[in-house]
């Protein structure tokens, strides 16, 4: 569910794989075949999410970032992780609503806290109610 949440609230969301023949050691994700990542809106920074061991049997997420403004962008991605933990981890999950093509933005309330994906014949709205919120 974290992956879906980040995909809806983090512009530039993607996944990263590090090919064994191309691994320069610059990035060190926990899982080199699949890591959650994002590119900043200006394309100058890249960040990926990686877990590290915490208390016995648990782990915590961290963010590694590269490029101009990497520190600021790492902070943006880290804040999305904190939002997930605070408000959505134990929540009801995503709300997905499909509207007809051409539906005006002001008729799609989900756009304010989520994402609208324009398709050929429809507009798909995805939002994440907070824990204890309407669901």
């Amino acid at each position: 569910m974290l992956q879906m949440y980040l995909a809806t609230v983090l512009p530039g969301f993607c996944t990263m794989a590090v090919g064994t023949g191309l691994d320069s050691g610059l990035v060190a994700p926990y899982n080199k075949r699949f890591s959650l990542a994002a590119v900043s809106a200006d394309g100058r920074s890249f960040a990926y999410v990686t877990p590290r061991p915490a208390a016995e049997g648990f782990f915590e997420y961290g963010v590694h970032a590269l490029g101009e403004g990497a520190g600021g962008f790492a902070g943006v991605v880290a804040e999305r992780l904190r939002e997930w933990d605070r408000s959505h981890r134990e929540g009801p999950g995503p709300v997905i609503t499909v509207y007809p093509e051409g539906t005006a933005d002001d008729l799609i309330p989900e756009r304010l806290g989520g994402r609208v994906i324009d398709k050929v014949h429809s507009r798909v709205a995805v939002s994440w109610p907070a824990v204890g919120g309407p669901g």
Side-chain angles (χ1 to χ4, degrees), residues 49-86:
V49 177
T50 188
R52 66 179 177 195
E56 187 175 324
F58 293 92
F59 65 92
E60 63 185 0
Y61 288 114
V63 178
H64 291 226
L66 304 161
E68 285 184 38
F73 190 54
V76 168
V77 175
E79 180 54 28
R80 299 295 86 76
L81 292 172
R82 287 189 288 272
E83 285 174 2
W84 163 259
D85 185 50
R86 272 192 314 263

Side-chain angles (χ1 to χ4, degrees), residues 78-100:
E79 180 54 28
R80 299 295 86 76
L81 292 172
R82 287 189 288 272
E83 285 174 2
W84 163 259
D85 185 50
R86 272 192 314 263
S87 304
H88 303 285
R89 179 188 295 261
E90 302 298 327
V95 173
I96 302 169
T97 309
V98 179
Y99 295 89

Side-chain angles (χ1 to χ4, degrees), residues 2-11 13 94 113-117 126-128:
L2 174 60
Q3 177 182 347
M4 273 185 69
Y5 177 74
L6 291 178
T8 57
V9 300
L10 192 60
F13 174 80
R115 180 168 311 265
V116 176
I117 303 160
V126 182
S127 63
W128 288 79

Side-chain angles (χ1 to χ4, degrees), residues 93-111:
V95 173
I96 302 169
T97 309
V98 179
Y99 295 89
E101 170 194 14
T103 301
D105 283 348
D106 60 342
L107 298 177
I108 303 176
E110 298 90 347
R111 81 186 187 295

Side-chain angles (χ1 to χ4, degrees), residues 26-51:
L26 185 60
V27 296
Y30 178 78
N31 181 345
K32 290 187 179 218
R33 294 175 3 134
F34 181 86
S35 293
L36 307 179
V39 177
S40 64
D42 64 8
R44 296 179 181 210
S45 299
F46 172 79
Y48 64 95
V49 177
T50 188

